[in-house]
Amino acid sequence: MNERTVTASTASAPYGPLEPGLRDPVLGSQTCFRAVLDALAHPGRIVDLPQALAGSPPATLCEATASIVLTMCDIDTPLWLDPAASPAAPYFAFHCGAPLIEGPAKASFAIVSNPTALPPLQSFALGTDEYPEQSATLIIEVTDLSALHGVVLRGPGILDEARLSASGLPTRFWEERQALAELFPRGIDVLFTCGGRVAALPRSTRIG
Amino acid sequence: LIVTDAGFTRRHMSTAVDGEMVAAPTQQASHAARQHWLAILAGASAGQLETAWQGLTDKPAYRALRAPETGLIMLRGRVGGTGQPFNVGEMTMTRAAVQLLGSAGEVTHTGFGYVAGRSARRAELVALFDALLQDPARHDAITAAVVEPLAVRQQAAKARQSAKVAASKVDFFTMVRGE
């Protein structure tokens, strides 16, 4: 029921030009889930996602973002799209039925297609000490990903140290992320996507 | 309790499809017509639909927007037709969405199919006919060749069933004591 209400509110785009979703919803989301799990288990590692989409990704978004959202989101996960990603709203409303919400504060998943206009990290759900899992997972589309240079990452899942460079991120992102570290276990998990690749920055990772 | 009527299922499904259609800028007036053909298509058997599909002279190119998938929907009923709605139970249903492709590979029409049961092909065929019926160039031909004959058969089947049920009707009288 909720799905329909939301679908109706994004009435501007007709269904005609919608792209198909996952080629094989079961196998596609399983392999994609496994890849994201790998990325989260090894912060900073750049993981290739399987090519699971049957068509092209929705306008303005990259394939990795679309596959991750189709894998992770359903009617129980409020989804927030930044203005640059909002043309994809009908696609996600149709294929995963996730409720699309107005502000970032209550989103379980947030897609940031234009990282320069990234809202302050504090404005996303950080969870509570009792329920840290009630926090947001950010999917940020960056222009390039590299594990050869960039910030130094340490923590669970990293043997010694890892490096990650995500182009297109404002420098304040790393400062705001640093400020969240002391709130652990509260915090947010971030997935950087670029083309068909993903790298993760879970809340347990320390920077520097 | 009016829930065993097959028409209940069909009405319910038409409503579900209509809910999906809200997002499409379809004219309000055509909603009733579309509900009508979807109800009839959803009530047709896989064999009837397949025969009708094979009978088409030029089959359109199409792609699956949503491959057929089987799930559950909650059926709601009302006691006596006027009482409060309540959940009767869940039923298995299959849905599909297809996009017809034009000569340049562009999407021309999108069709939806919701059918009772687990037949993927049946849902796909309903969606295909739904898409074809939205095409003004093919609407009349498909209505005459597919929808109308199915409607007539379903009407007849319903009349037969009603007659059979009516024959076994029992009226219960409460004898009022004359005081």
Side-chain angles (χ1 to χ4, degrees):
Chain A
M1 296 303 141
N2 200 3
E3 168 184 4
R4 285 187 198 119
T5 329
V6 171
T7 312
S9 72
T10 55
S12 55
Y15 274 133
L18 268 190
E19 286 293 324
L22 295 172
R23 193 181 307 113
D24 181 341
V26 175
L27 208 62
S29 57
Q30 283 175 347
T31 48
C32 190
F33 186 87
R34 174 71 219 192
V36 174
L37 205 61
D38 260 347
L40 280 164
H42 306 95
R45 182 182 290 182
I46 296 168
V47 176
D48 285 320
L49 284 173
Q51 295 182 337
L53 296 183
S56 347
T60 75
L61 296 185
C62 66
E63 181 164 351
T65 309
S67 325
I68 293 172
V69 174
L70 293 186
T71 300
M72 301 289 182
C73 292
D74 63 13
I75 198 154
D76 295 323
T77 54
L79 180 66
W80 178 73
L81 307 177
D82 79 344
S86 59
Y91 178 88
F92 293 124
F94 181 82
H95 286 297
C96 50
L100 300 165
I101 56 172
E102 288 294 324
K106 289 189 173 156
S108 304
F109 285 84
I111 302 180
V112 179
S113 181
N114 175 17
T116 51
L118 176 74
L121 293 186
Q122 286 278 1
S123 63
F124 292 94
L126 303 174
T128 61
D129 285 321
E130 291 82 9
Y131 301 100
E133 75 279 11
Q134 290 175 356
S135 58
T137 301
L138 264 59
I139 301 167
I140 304 181
E141 296 203 319
V142 294
T143 48
D144 194 24
L145 276 176
S146 168
L148 300 176
H149 51 95
V151 295
V152 176
L153 309 178
R154 289 193 173 86
I158 304 171
L159 182 57
D160 190 12
E161 61 173 47
R163 282 176 171 273
L164 181 67
S165 152
S167 317
L169 270 186
T171 46
R172 66 182 167 84
F173 171 84
W174 298 107
E175 295 155 15
E176 289 170 10
R177 174 62 176 71
Q178 195 79 318
L180 291 185
E182 61 196 53
L183 299 178
F184 191 85
R186 299 170 68 213
I188 52 175
D189 305 306
V190 181
L191 297 168
F192 296 111
T193 57
C194 176
R197 301 176 302 155
V198 63
L201 182 67
R203 70 189 73 185
S204 59
T205 302
R206 298 186 300 277
I207 293 162
Chain B
L1 176 66
I2 309 174
V3 289
T4 47
D5 174 13
F8 173 85
T9 311
R10 285 206 293 278
R11 278 197 299 279
H12 188 94
M13 290 189 161
S14 311
T15 315
V17 175
D18 189 43
E20 298 271 11
M21 277 164 52
V22 171
T26 323
Q27 299 87 340
Q28 290 293 322
S30 66
H31 271 202
R34 195 169 172 199
Q35 277 181 337
H36 172 70
W37 77 59
L38 278 171
I40 289 168
L41 290 170
S45 73
Q48 288 170 332
L49 290 169
E50 192 67 59
T51 311
W53 175 252
Q54 296 304 336
L56 288 184
T57 43
D58 53 338
K59 296 187 185 59
Y62 68 95
R63 70 171 180 184
L65 174 60
R66 174 155 58 203
E69 56 187 17
T70 301
L72 292 172
I73 53 164
M74 179 61 77
L75 293 182
R76 309 194 83 193
R78 289 175 192 272
V79 174
T82 52
Q84 286 297 309
F86 67 97
N87 294 338
V88 177
E90 289 174 327
M91 72 174 284
T92 313
M93 62 168 307
T94 303
R95 65 177 182 179
V98 299
Q99 292 173 324
L100 298 190
L101 303 175
S103 49
E106 82 285 5
V107 174
T108 54
H109 296 94
T110 304
F112 294 85
Y114 282 70
V115 297
R118 292 186 293 178
S119 169
R121 179 63 176 161
R122 208 174 131 214
E124 191 182 31
L125 285 170
V126 170
L128 279 167
F129 280 118
D130 176 41
L132 283 171
L133 282 159
Q134 291 173 61
D135 184 352
R138 305 195 67 171
H139 176 84
D140 292 345
I142 304 248
T143 303
V146 181
V147 180
E148 291 310 330
L150 285 173
V152 170
R153 290 174 74 163
Q154 288 174 19
Q155 200 82 42
K158 194 171 181 184
R160 266 199 311 279
Q161 180 74 14
S162 300
K164 214 169 159 185
V165 171
S168 66
K169 185 181 174 189
V170 178
D171 284 320
F172 292 95
F173 295 104
T174 304
M175 302 302 285
V176 181
R177 281 183 301 163
E179 305 241 354

